[in-house]
DNA sequence: CCTTTTATGTACCTTGCGGTTAATTTGTCA
DNA sequence: TGACAAATTAACCGCAAGGTACATAAAAGG
């Protein structure tokens, strides 16, 4: 193993601190978290290897324990970080000034796309579910994070019902469930699905069709007299 | 650890063999597989513990290695067994003589229900996806197993298109994808979903609604001018 | 019966890996 | 400039857990 040069990044970026440490602690933490995220997403909690993680960081194993206590603590931090970063994506999307059906379409597409773009997040959520969400539940951030999307859907539902374009029994939570299930599964189960049925649905073309289908499904479930566009 | 009495089961059930072994090898294998299925579903491949598994069987660790070679071999056997057993469930369902829309409804409901009833299978598939389906792909049974359901859907699609009740672009594979995504997610992500949004959708009432919603979604996507039943 | 094969119990080995000890450098503040 | 804290290094530890060696009992089979 060749020696890593840690000074390059140092001289060029001694920005935030009053004086410059040999290494910025915050940067070290971030470095560890980035590597650990990759590792946990790839191998799960028990499957990830602390020694391997340490080697891939620019610091040492000792520092992992210094900052995160133990493997579980590291995992929890990884989980919270990845959840938080996704919340930001969600909150960036603004549909308050769109007509309800269009807003729903946008939200659904955005959810679908963001899942495709964040397989690491998906994998970590899968892993968390294997553990019955015990670490997410312990967190005091995660359980409150995803409410933003529900609020948006609730707003859209309210407006849509008021104007009569959405069915009376449309429910924000159910809507989110529908969107999520399709979007999540599309990434999470790609491997086994392709193994059983071939990769046709996962080509660029296939994904385009699927995406449109998901929108149709969701809108079809809540829009009064929804007529999907035939052909794509 | 107290000594297990292996004779009780013996005297009472020396059924199938020509002569009676002290223990029926097939039964021993089955016993191991049952325990191992539980363990792998609960903790994953790396998380499951061979010693623990051995203790919960009526035999010893030695026998696990004797019959399955190593941990990975045991895991592969578990995977194949659980996949196979689900195929049987699928094949039992007969909808060839049902009118297309009703047939679709039945297939969707059956898929939904069978997922709810087999959380262990779901967990193993989740775990397999974490491993990018490398073990399922290696298998020479699994990739050919799930075709049955596609055949059924293809038949229903063909009949539905012929009689004009299904849209021309209805696709069996996409249909299965839709049904599976909802049904799978409903079980696989229950823990994190409930952590984020509460358990409302997972009560008996909630599940009833969700199930009907899934049927609506699927039918809505392929039935010409589908009108869901309002209220539930 | 005597040999070969299948099945099984006990005890052991090896090492990967999560975690720690202790000392050292780097900075802060009196 | 020296005490104290924060950050970091390198070497080490213990043991859990995957896997094996070896002896042997039970069956098949000639």
């Amino acid at each position: 193993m060749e020696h890593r040069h840690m000074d390059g990044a140092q001289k060029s970026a001694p920005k935030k601190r009053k004086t410059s440490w040999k290494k910025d602690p915050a940067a070290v933490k971030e470095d560890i978290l980035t590597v650990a995220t990759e590792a946990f997403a790839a191998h799960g909690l028990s499957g990830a290897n602390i020694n391997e993680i340490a080697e891939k960081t620019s610091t040492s194993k000792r520092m992992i324990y210094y900052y995160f206590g133990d493997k579980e603590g590291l995992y929890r931090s990884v989980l919270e970080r990845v959840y938080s970063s996704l919340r930001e994506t969600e909150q960036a999307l603004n549909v308050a000034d769109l007509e309800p059906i269009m807003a729903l379409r946008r939200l659904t597409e955005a959810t679908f796309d963001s899942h495709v773009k964040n397989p690491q997040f998906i994998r970590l959520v899968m892993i968390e579910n294997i553990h019955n969400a015990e670490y997410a539940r312990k967190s005091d951030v995660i359980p409150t994070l995803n409410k933003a999307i529900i609020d948006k859907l609730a707003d859209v539902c309210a407006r849509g019902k008021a104007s009569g374009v959405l069915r009376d029994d449309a429910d924000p939570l159910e809507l989110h469930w529908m969107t999520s299930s399709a979007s999540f599964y599309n990434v999470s189960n790609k491997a086994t699905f392709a193994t059983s049925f071939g990769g046709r649905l996962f080509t660029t073309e296939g994904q385009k069709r699927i995406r449109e289908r998901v929108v149709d499904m969701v809108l079809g479930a809540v829009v009064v007299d929804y007529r999907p566009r035939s052909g794509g």
Side-chain angles (χ1 to χ4, degrees), chain A:
Chain A
M1 53 189 97
E2 16 205 331
H3 249 103
R4 49 232 166 254
H5 6 234
M6 53 187 65
D7 21 6
Q10 246 33 51
K11 275 184 295 191
S12 57
K15 5 193 142 176
K16 62 200 314 194
R17 281 281 163 215
K18 27 201 169 185
T19 61
S20 73
W21 268 82
K22 176 176 162 191
K23 272 181 158 181
D24 186 1
V28 171
K29 274 203 225 177
E30 261 301 300
D31 179 31
I32 293 173
L33 284 174
T34 304
V35 175
T37 300
E38 190 98 23
F40 284 126
H43 310 294
L45 175 49
S46 51
N49 182 321
I50 294 278
N51 291 310
E52 269 178 35
I53 292 175
E55 272 167 30
K56 287 182 187 161
T57 64
S58 53
T59 179
S60 67
K61 178 163 73 161
R62 182 64 186 80
M63 294 314 293
I64 295 175
Y65 287 95
Y66 182 66
Y67 285 124
F68 302 99
D70 59 4
K71 196 184 190 181
E72 205 177 296
L74 179 60
Y75 173 78
R76 280 215 317 274
S77 298
V78 162
L79 201 65
E80 294 200 345
R81 201 181 72 129
V82 82
Y83 258 92
S84 304
S85 92
L86 210 72
R87 169 179 60 173
E88 285 162 27
T89 309
E90 267 175 7
Q91 281 177 334
L93 191 68
N94 191 0
V95 295
D97 47 349
L98 286 181
E99 168 263 330
I101 295 183
M102 194 55 196
L104 253 183
R105 173 170 224 108
R106 281 284 170 79
L107 283 175
T108 305
E109 288 173 346
T111 301
F112 187 90
D113 294 341
S114 94
H115 278 66
V116 170
K117 248 207 305 206
N118 292 286
Q120 256 184 0
F121 171 77
I122 306 286
R123 295 179 66 91
L124 285 168
V125 173
M126 291 166 76
I127 288 160
E128 214 9 48
N129 275 296
I130 295 285
H131 295 293
N132 296 309
E134 67 169 294
Y135 302 99
R137 238 184 291 117
K138 273 183 205 162
S139 165
D140 34 36
V141 213
I142 294 177
T144 74
L145 277 186
N146 302 53
K147 313 271 176 187
I149 185 75
I150 300 293
D151 290 344
K152 276 181 186 142
L153 284 168
D155 170 63
V156 171
C157 278
R159 289 194 287 127
K161 286 179 193 174
S163 72
V165 296
L166 292 191
R167 294 169 52 187
D168 273 340
D169 59 349
D171 179 85
L173 190 55
E174 284 178 16
L175 263 171
H176 181 62
W177 185 96
M178 291 188 256
T179 309
S180 286
S181 65
S183 303
F184 195 96
Y185 181 89
N186 184 51
V187 179
S188 70
N189 284 48
K190 177 176 172 174
T192 54
F193 194 95
T195 297
S196 289
F197 307 110
R200 199 186 96 203
L201 263 35
F202 302 101
T203 61
T204 311
E205 271 312 298
Q207 285 286 287
K208 233 171 91 182
R209 268 183 73 96
I210 289 287
R211 191 177 108 129
E212 191 55 29
R213 275 282 191 270
V214 172
V215 173
D216 279 352
M217 273 186 353
V218 172
L219 293 185
V222 291
V223 172
V224 175
D225 287 329
Y226 178 71
R227 312 261 355 230
R229 346 165 158 172
S230 300

